[in-house]
Amino acid sequence: GAAAGSLVSKGELDINDLKENITRYEQIDFNSDVKAQIEEIERFKQQIDISIQKMGGSQSVINQLKQRLKLQPNDAQGWYLLGRIYFSQNQFTAARLAFEHAVQLAPNRTDIVTELIEASYLSGDDRTESRLHQALQQMPHDPTLLNISALILYQQKKYQQALIIWQNLFIFGSV
């Protein structure tokens, strides 16, 4: 009824504020000076934390997003946001599941694909390597994907190959 509509509208405003802060965070110029990047990242993390606290804390945000996604299951950005929140809480399996929904809805969003692979790796998902291989075909220079590739090689005791990737990431300023 009307009460449910007003609840969704209030949650919609709060979630949109949070989405706006996360979108600004994602637009940080990573080609700029490292110190400036760190300061900008910290500022946006604080703004995102404030948005989450205004909404009653991360569990409240998760509950609001889940409610919203029940009503709007095709909202890729909503699934992405849910994944980011789970990821920030080190709930990597839950993050991976949310990112999987987002990738199904927006398969060309390379940022979401990268987040999915990172969450897959950190959750110990068996599909990590196949997803990584597929993503590297589209984004061969993505530093996050290359780092995950190096980590996997290192775990497989392919130390020299891992080291070469890390050295290149360091030389080209992506680490």
Side-chain angles (χ1 to χ4, degrees):
S6 64
L7 178 65
V8 171
S9 297
K10 171 73 173 119
E12 191 79 23
L13 289 173
D14 293 338
I15 288 171
N16 287 337
D17 179 50
L18 182 59
K19 275 186 175 182
E20 183 180 315
N21 280 320
I22 287 178
T23 299
R24 278 188 260 143
Y25 170 76
E26 292 166 346
Q27 294 171 347
I28 292 172
D29 178 12
F30 287 102
N31 295 318
S32 68
D33 158 54
V34 173
K35 185 177 179 187
Q37 288 177 26
I38 292 169
E39 290 171 2
E40 201 169 355
I41 288 169
E42 287 307 313
R43 190 174 75 248
F44 282 120
K45 281 184 178 179
Q46 289 172 353
Q47 289 175 347
I48 290 167
D49 287 344
I50 290 168
S51 293
I52 289 172
Q53 291 313 309
K54 281 183 185 176
M55 295 172 68
S58 54
Q59 193 55 52
S60 174
V61 174
I62 288 169
N63 292 338
Q64 288 180 48
L65 274 170
K66 284 181 172 180
Q67 278 301 115
R68 180 178 176 196
L69 290 167
K70 282 181 186 175
L71 300 172
Q72 300 173 2
N74 294 327
D75 179 5
Q77 186 68 14
W79 286 108
Y80 173 71
L81 181 57
L82 183 61
R84 290 291 307 150
I85 293 168
Y86 280 133
F87 194 94
S88 72
Q89 295 183 326
N90 298 326
Q91 295 182 35
F92 302 119
T93 300
R96 177 182 49 82
L97 295 171
F99 290 141
E100 284 174 353
H101 281 286
V103 167
Q104 286 175 351
L105 297 167
N108 296 325
R109 289 271 312 268
T110 57
D111 57 326
I112 300 174
V113 171
T114 301
E115 297 277 358
L116 169 59
I117 293 167
E118 193 170 8
S120 293
Y121 173 74
L122 292 169
S123 69
D125 184 34
D126 292 340
R127 295 167 291 178
T128 301
E129 286 188 60
S130 63
R131 286 179 171 157
L132 179 62
H133 178 74
Q134 184 178 1
L136 281 168
Q137 300 296 318
Q138 297 173 339
M139 303 173 281
H141 304 291
D142 184 282
T144 301
L145 297 179
L146 290 170
N147 188 45
I148 293 169
S149 180
L151 288 168
I152 290 170
L153 288 167
Y154 186 84
Q155 288 175 337
Q156 295 170 343
K157 299 187 185 324
K158 297 177 181 174
Y159 304 119
Q160 191 63 36
Q161 291 170 296
L163 185 59
I164 290 168
I165 292 172
W166 282 322
Q167 284 174 333
N168 285 324
L169 285 170
F170 183 76
I171 290 167
F172 295 108
S174 298
V175 196

